[in-house]
Amino acid sequence: MSLGVRFVALTAKQLVEARRATWEQMDLAAAEWRIPGDAETKVREDHVVPLSDAALGVLERAQELGNG
């Protein structure tokens, strides 16, 4: 399973949100993903997604790969 698909499954977020995610939105120390609101989507307000240990593991693996 790809890291992206696993991350989506672990966070219960939409694929488009995961694809638009940036490292600046991730607070690994606080285990949070801060998603800014977007006028083009249904979610117009900023919101915070708590990250499980498994989701943090996916992000750490992605950082190791270093492909953005």
Side-chain angles (χ1 to χ4, degrees):
M1 180 182 307
S2 77
L3 292 176
V5 171
R6 184 170 168 85
F7 186 73
V8 167
L10 291 167
T11 58
K13 299 308 294 175
Q14 296 180 7
L15 181 59
V16 67
E17 290 175 298
R19 290 185 70 196
R20 291 181 180 171
T22 65
W23 285 112
E24 291 78 26
Q25 296 172 355
M26 303 299 168
D27 185 343
L28 302 182
E32 294 178 340
W33 173 16
R34 296 182 176 276
I35 303 174
D38 184 354
E40 297 178 16
T41 66
K42 294 178 184 176
V43 182
R44 298 183 195 276
E45 297 181 12
D46 295 356
H47 62 286
V48 177
V49 178
L51 298 172
S52 66
D53 289 341
L56 288 170
V58 169
L59 292 175
E60 289 170 4
R61 179 68 180 128
Q63 280 185 320
E64 290 171 5
L65 295 174
N67 62 0

